[in-house]
Amino acid sequence: MTIRLPGADGRSRSYEPRTDPLVVLPDGAPLASRTVFSAAHVVADPYADVSPGAPAAVDWDATLAFRRHLWSHGLGVAEAMDTAQRGMGLDWTTAAELVRRSAAEARATGGAVACGVGTDQLTGPATLDEVRAAYEEQLALVEESGARAILMASRALAATATGPEDYLDVYGHLLRQATDPVILHWLGPMFDPALEGYWGSGDLDAATEVFLEVIAAHPDKVDGIKVSLLDARREVELRRRLPDGVRCYTGDDFNYPELIAGDEQGFSHALLGIFDPLGPAAARAVRVLDTGDVKGFRELLDPTVALSRHLFEHPTRFYKTGVVLLAWLAGHQDHFTMVGGLQSARSLPHLARAYELADGLGLFPDPSRAETRMKSLLAVYGVTS
């Protein structure tokens, strides 16, 4: 059996899907050598009568089932993050409900969960006091849910701050009142252009110094940092300057195998959007790393980088479309629909290549179902095999 896949050059090519999927049986035992979170997507309700810009409609059963899938392989879930379309279709009211439901499910199943804290309930220009209050509201909700908090970068703070001192003030205020240590998240402008100049400077070296100053002032309140700059060298340099006890969670979807493997001076843990579609494969690789077999870990995880680089190619912020496509093809949901209509954010050739790369890795538990679903998507676009 073959399938015709359209290419970026306007021509189609014949592809023969593999028939032997990667089989990784669930093993809920925690991963030992690294702390690993998968930033999980939300499943939209395809029957809801909503339009782009309207409050999100979520299929809660399918959304929570996907989190149980990740937990069953020993991964933690990073909830209500960028992968879940925060600020790109997922409004704060729905995100708050997602945090509550996911945290409750984690308690019931014994899974690890950390939840995003931001300021996205603000809808217009804001003062620094309003930014602080918005962060406080979300931090309180996450702490009440029993989950670890991830202080995400704030579009409102980026728009309001006049320099590094405003970041030091806002983050210092939040860290002083946090009940438990939090994860600080530095999301680069390639993921969200509104975050250009975060930490008070467009110069990444200067911004790094401000970031480190925040951490150094409150090391007991920082569990770790999540770095999403797609710059392996910068992450390693930053990692080596962290205070003892503060972890680095890589968010680099281009260079994650080498960063997780580490070097003689340390390694990164992981909090990655690509570990949504790679969940079982990533867990298998880390379990090999748990035995001390770095070479075996790299042999398993390095081949996945081509898929990740494809999904996260420019414009990077639309990587969620490929993530949800693969969830549908893998059978984790019954449709290819996203909140905010974001399923239209990538081209058909991009989606076809994502299918090809994921199939080549054996990521689809039922390759024939994935092929049938991909053909149905192609047919909607007028492509027939």
Side-chain angles (χ1 to χ4, degrees), residues 33-34 36 230-232 235-236 239 249-263 266-272 274-275 278 281-282 285-286 289 293-309 361:
S33 61
R34 304 290 188 271
V36 180
L230 304 183
D231 185 333
E235 178 176 322
V236 170
R239 184 175 75 196
Y249 295 91
T250 187
D252 188 332
D253 300 278
F254 284 3
N255 304 292
Y256 51 94
E258 66 184 82
L259 291 165
I260 297 171
D263 55 30
F267 56 82
S268 294
H269 299 272
L271 197 165
L272 287 161
I274 191 56
F275 281 4
L278 288 183
V286 175
L289 186 60
D293 184 359
V294 176
K295 181 174 182 291
F297 165 79
R298 294 294 300 268
E299 288 175 348
L300 289 173
L301 208 56
D302 281 0
T304 68
V305 172
L307 171 64
S308 188
R309 285 178 174 259
L361 293 169

Side-chain angles (χ1 to χ4, degrees), residues 85-321:
Q85 295 180 243
R86 287 291 290 271
M88 291 186 71
L90 189 71
D91 56 284
W92 164 239
T93 299
T94 311
E97 182 65 14
L98 178 62
V99 167
R100 294 187 192 98
R101 289 177 181 251
S102 190
E105 196 75 15
R107 289 194 299 274
T109 61
V113 65
C115 299
V117 170
T119 63
D120 47 325
Q121 68 270 55
L122 299 173
T123 57
T127 66
L128 283 178
D129 285 342
E130 289 170 333
V131 170
R132 277 192 294 267
Y135 262 132
E136 288 173 337
E137 177 189 357
Q138 296 198 18
L139 178 61
L141 183 143
V142 169
E143 290 188 335
E144 288 167 5
S145 77
R148 183 173 298 283
I150 304 171
L151 292 187
M152 301 191 299
S154 162
R155 291 177 180 174
L157 180 55
T160 303
T162 58
E165 63 282 353
D166 288 335
Y167 290 90
L168 294 169
D169 175 68
V170 170
Y171 277 90
H173 178 84
L174 294 169
L175 290 172
R176 283 190 295 272
Q177 66 177 272
T179 301
D180 297 308
V182 307
I183 298 171
L184 298 180
H185 184 191
W186 185 358
L187 189 68
M190 67 289 294
F191 288 93
D192 187 344
L195 299 177
E196 183 69 47
Y198 211 74
W199 305 111
S201 177
D203 182 326
L204 288 179
D205 290 335
T208 296
E209 296 305 318
V210 178
F211 188 43
L212 287 169
E213 187 174 346
V214 169
I215 299 165
H218 308 277
D220 58 323
K221 290 296 185 75
V222 181
D223 166 82
I225 63 169
K226 189 219 187 236
V227 186
S228 299
L229 298 176
L230 304 183
D231 185 333
R233 177 195 59 79
R234 185 171 295 278
E235 178 176 322
V236 170
E237 291 175 355
L238 179 56
R239 184 175 75 196
R240 290 173 179 171
R241 296 180 62 187
L242 292 176
D244 290 342
V246 176
R247 300 170 178 171
C248 179
Y249 295 91
T250 187
D252 188 332
D253 300 278
F254 284 3
N255 304 292
Y256 51 94
E258 66 184 82
L259 291 165
I260 297 171
D263 55 30
E264 66 283 354
Q265 297 185 50
F267 56 82
S268 294
H269 299 272
L271 197 165
L272 287 161
I274 191 56
F275 281 4
D276 177 306
L278 288 183
R284 182 180 72 153
V286 175
R287 291 193 193 283
V288 169
L289 186 60
D290 289 346
T291 69
D293 184 359
V294 176
K295 181 174 182 291
F297 165 79
R298 294 294 300 268
E299 288 175 348
L300 289 173
L301 208 56
D302 281 0
T304 68
V305 172
L307 171 64
S308 188
R309 285 178 174 259
H310 177 72
L311 295 183
F312 286 79
E313 71 182 10
H314 180 78
T316 302
R317 63 188 181 278
F318 295 127
Y319 72 88
K320 297 94 158 170
T321 302

Side-chain angles (χ1 to χ4, degrees), residues 26-48:
D27 180 351
L31 305 175
S33 61
R34 304 290 188 271
T35 300
V36 180
F37 289 96
S38 166
H41 74 283
V42 293
V43 182
D45 179 354
Y47 301 111

